[in-house]
Amino acid sequence: PEGLSLWKSKSTFTSFHVFFLQMGWGDLGAFGEPSKETPNLDQMASEGMLFLDFYTANPLCSPSRAALLTGRLPVRNGFYTTNAHARNAYTPQDIVGGIPDSELLLPELLKKAGYINKIIGKWHLGHRPQFHPLKHGFDEWFGSPNCHFGPFDNRALPNIPVYRDWEMIGRYYEDFKIDLKTGEANLTQIYLQEALDFISKQQASQQPFFLYWAIDATHAPVYASKQFLGTSHRGLYGDAVREIDDSIGKILKHLQKLGIGENTFVFFTSDNGAALISAPKQGGSNGRFLCGKQTTFEGGMREPAIAWWPGHIPAGGVSHQLGNVMDLFTTSLSLAGLQPPGDRQIDGIDLLPAILQGKLIDRPIFYYRGNEMMAVRVGLYKAHYWTWSNSWEEYSKGIDFCPGQNVSGVTTHTQEEHTTLPLLFHLGRDPGENFAGGEYQRAMERISVVVQQHKATMVPGEPQLNVCDKAVMNWSPPGCEKLGKCLKPPKSDPKKCFWPH
């Protein structure tokens, strides 16, 4: 493409992925949020391109991050469980598994083109030493291996460590404060400064770089800095979104001030839909879409997405290209002049023709929940082969991923199989998945071929999320000796992980 040749004449390129937790499709003004409290992201959209049909690879954080960095479905890269059918699984403190050495991550490949790679924020691909991000292609890390759950008592459960590169520099709630009563924490400001400093350093050395900014302010317990508390019409969650928006604006302005805006490809998206279980006080909005995080309905897997590259992406563009976080792997390699690995199945596609030339690439979207393909989208049609929101047992405890939403036979509390007669929805006319039907036979003939081809070539990876053991928790991370923060682990007692969802 013409835009690609323009890129090749440049000396510096940044693939900058802002990859949020729990941020829904309906959380941005550019996507219709009525309070209009995201002016910087809205401006980013007006200067770049909105993707209205962009998806994550899994409705939960860890597997979707593994998919982004490998370009592969979680069922291929091992970020799933076989302990129970169609269960979502992630990487809590007691997980034994993590990203396998056999997987090739984006930063490992970008190194071949001379890139310096940094992750800021949550890694969530395993916290044991062999899974450390600096062993998988990143040169720098400031952040944590898990989310900011806690505070824990450091006896039954240790507080989550925060790392700078190879060693921890403290723990959440001890050295990095989060006030659970007010929601005050300055972590987003710390992460912002880390990003600005890294960009400045690489620009000064004329070094191409990849920055993965994976902050977690909108993940419950939600937090924001003091200057943003109480400033949103949407409560504490809105305060966190406003601070994130402000940070994005400062990062984009910094790129332009340094004169590398036109050499920088920036992509904003989310790892899953808004967690409606945390709503309304600490949950976001999935717009018109059904349900939220943990589900394979549109609200769980369709994400806000914006591409920004001044001088290359036409301003004010809107794309209906079916996209996926896995495409950021392939697209980034393409921008760096690299080919994706040829020895494995890559599920991500190169989005540059869609971004730079407005082309639409025919491709399906697969909706997985654990080891099961729950649904598939082909064109405007989505066929559900299984439906399940959450179990009656969990629902009776007040756990609801679809509050206020009930579609008979769809938002089920038992796993319902539809493989013989899939439920079909036309997402153009019915984005909320309320009315099954349409040109059934013609649509299903096309979808069935796609599904058959997909299943015929599916070779699942070794499941990484089956075994849990309290002995592998963050008791004594590297660097704990220097800080006097090493904790004594319990005796190893590995068990099958229990995944209720």
Side-chain angles (χ1 to χ4, degrees), residues 218 220-222 234-240 275-284:
T218 48
V222 174
R234 304 178 66 197
L236 180 57
Y237 181 87
D239 296 341
L276 301 185
I277 188 176
S278 306
K281 291 186 177 181
Q282 297 204 9

Side-chain angles (χ1 to χ4, degrees), residues 283-336:
S285 167
N286 295 314
R288 293 181 61 191
F289 302 128
L290 184 63
C291 299
K293 177 180 177 178
Q294 298 265 17
T295 76
T296 51
F297 303 115
E298 292 297 287
M301 293 189 62
R302 201 188 300 201
E303 312 303 334
I306 305 170
W308 184 88
W309 190 10
H312 302 269
I313 297 175
V318 175
S319 177
H320 286 282
Q321 171 65 48
L322 295 189
N324 195 289
V325 295
M326 298 180 291
D327 302 339
L328 300 180
F329 174 90
T330 313
T331 304
S332 297
L333 292 178
S334 179
L335 284 163

Side-chain angles (χ1 to χ4, degrees), residues 4 7-8 10-17 110 113-117 202 206-211 255 260-266 308-309 312 328 331-337 352:
L4 186 56
W7 141 239
K8 286 183 176 178
K10 304 296 184 179
S11 60
T12 304
F13 165 71
T14 308
S15 179
F16 179 74
H17 300 256
L110 289 177
Y115 281 73
I116 299 297
N117 309 300
Q202 306 314 316
Q206 294 295 297
Q207 185 73 46
F209 61 94
F210 165 57
L211 176 59
L255 291 168
I260 58 173
E262 292 192 4
N263 303 62
T264 304
F265 179 80
V266 182
W308 184 88
W309 190 10
H312 302 269
L328 300 180
T331 304
S332 297
L333 292 178
S334 179
L335 284 163
L352 286 182

